[in-house]
Amino acid sequence: MNIRIPVLAASVVLLSSPVLANDLTYTSQTLTPEAAMQVVQGAMKSCRDSGYQVTVAVTDRTGVPIALMRDRYAGAHTTEAATRKAYTAANFRMDTVDLAQSTEAGQPTSGIRFVGQLLALGGGLPIQAAGAVVGGVGVSGAPGGDLDRACAQAGIDVIQDNLDF
């Protein structure tokens, strides 16, 4: 008896089963453009109220930009910095201040700072819904990363109640 035929038949059955097909895909959540704009506007308002001219960027969960707004007098460099902070927060799923501290010179992970779009400066935060990262926000232009961070948090606060379903 040829053993290849039963093995081949069993393989076809296993590969065509719905359980295996479901294991080959996944579903994830990310922010809508409307939610991203609410975060941008909330962060921008917070910074303006404090007297800062900034740029605010929001990305999806993978770091792809969804929304960006630059205030009138924010420096030209702030668009790139805000976008990179949001990208970094979304991809590392952490506050960019924490990433900056863990990748300082002399740390075993310091080399990560040289990877592409990453920017380990304060002002980037992940946006979470039910414990999962659904986006990132980055702010640049306030006089310090801690102030950029405060504005980013204010933007998240605008939508957080709706994310905590």
Side-chain angles (χ1 to χ4, degrees):
M1 173 176 186
N2 189 344
I3 194 160
R4 290 183 188 167
I5 293 174
V7 170
L8 181 60
S11 297
V12 169
V13 169
L14 284 175
L15 289 175
S16 64
S17 77
V19 173
L20 187 57
N22 289 334
D23 290 339
L24 297 177
T25 63
Y26 68 94
T27 302
S28 62
Q29 292 186 326
T30 194
L31 290 177
T32 64
E34 294 79 12
M37 282 306 300
Q38 289 178 31
V39 172
V40 166
Q41 290 169 340
M44 181 72 70
K45 180 181 181 330
S46 175
C47 275
R48 279 184 172 175
D49 289 350
S50 297
Y52 312 135
Q53 293 282 304
V54 300
T55 296
V56 182
V58 174
T59 67
D60 69 10
R61 65 188 303 277
T62 66
V64 175
I66 301 173
L68 176 84
M69 186 182 299
R70 180 182 159 268
D71 214 341
R72 292 177 196 104
Y73 301 110
H77 68 282
T78 62
T79 56
E80 179 180 349
T83 302
R84 289 176 60 190
K85 288 178 185 184
Y87 172 91
T88 302
N91 276 278
F92 279 86
R93 289 148 171 60
M94 65 189 301
D95 185 328
T96 55
V97 168
D98 296 337
L99 182 66
Q101 292 170 350
S102 67
T103 61
E104 289 177 343
Q107 296 294 323
T109 55
S110 64
I112 199 75
R113 288 181 176 228
F114 300 103
V115 174
Q117 293 296 312
L118 300 183
L119 187 58
L121 291 176
L125 293 172
I127 302 170
Q128 297 186 17
V133 172
V134 294
V137 58
V139 176
S140 180
D146 56 331
L147 300 173
D148 286 336
R149 184 196 184 286
C151 293
Q153 185 61 58
I156 294 171
D157 290 346
V158 170
I159 65 166
Q160 192 63 63
D161 286 344
N162 291 327
L163 291 175
D164 293 335
F165 41 86

